[in-house]
Amino acid sequence: MCVVEREEHEGGRVSYGGYCLDLSSNVISKPTREDVVQSLREGMALSQLYLQANGLPVPAATSTEADVEREQDDDELLWLTPAETNPISLEIGRALQARHWTQSELARRMGVHRAQISRLTDPFYFGQNLGTLRRVADALGARLNIQLEVS
């Protein structure tokens, strides 16, 4: 369960924030409710990835409305799911860790800006293409293996 809070400021400006109870995710001062919801979902996904990577259990969603202390009557309670993460981005990040390389090192070896590597390793980025993945694999000295699993 997550809570989205709306705050009105002097001059009529409105901002939003929020937090989740079962998976650690907090957001402050976003311009829209939608921005807060997306950021909360991404935060939940990152918390889940952290717990899984460290062999810790991911808590079940057990919070109820009674667990929430509402500061204002218009606080919104939502059941959110973690944002989808891109396994390709996560795999590039794991390969960098295995090589003990920084994003800057991979960027240098590929002849690109570090910002491009940052984007490729962003777990919420889904724009990698096969040519780029081949260049990443070549720079890492890795073999690129693409597998489709049909159930």
Side-chain angles (χ1 to χ4, degrees):
M1 174 168 290
C2 298
V3 179
V4 174
E5 302 169 323
R6 181 179 186 273
E7 185 172 348
E8 293 188 29
H9 303 275
E10 288 183 28
R13 186 176 70 84
V14 175
S15 68
Y16 295 83
Y19 60 93
C20 296
L21 299 172
D22 297 308
L23 276 174
S24 179
S25 184
N26 300 290
V27 178
I28 59 171
S29 196
K30 293 285 187 178
T32 69
R33 175 194 174 279
E34 292 74 22
D35 289 339
V36 169
V37 169
Q38 184 60 33
S39 293
L40 287 171
R41 293 184 68 233
E42 289 176 359
M44 292 170 68
L46 293 173
S47 290
Q48 202 171 42
L49 288 171
Y50 173 83
L51 293 170
Q52 291 167 342
N54 289 285
L56 300 170
V58 175
T62 59
S63 296
T64 66
E65 192 171 334
D67 297 322
V68 178
E69 291 183 30
R70 290 186 179 192
E71 292 182 18
Q72 298 176 2
D73 289 337
D74 61 348
D75 287 354
E76 183 180 4
L77 304 180
L78 300 171
W79 285 102
L80 298 177
T81 57
E84 182 179 359
T85 56
N86 186 341
I88 294 169
S89 298
L90 299 173
E91 191 59 34
I92 294 169
R94 282 190 285 271
L96 284 174
Q97 287 179 337
R99 287 275 189 251
H100 304 286
W101 287 4
T102 63
Q103 291 180 359
S104 296
E105 178 62 18
L106 179 57
R108 185 186 68 75
R109 290 174 184 250
M110 289 180 64
V112 299
H113 293 283
R114 192 198 58 78
Q116 184 175 346
I117 305 305
S118 181
R119 185 173 50 252
L120 292 174
T121 58
D122 178 341
F124 307 110
Y125 176 72
F126 289 84
Q128 296 93 341
N129 64 54
L130 189 55
T132 300
L133 294 176
R134 285 184 178 133
R135 291 181 57 214
V136 169
D138 287 345
L140 286 164
R143 187 185 72 207
L144 179 62
N145 182 29
I146 298 173
Q147 183 177 359
L148 297 175
E149 293 181 18
V150 179
S151 55

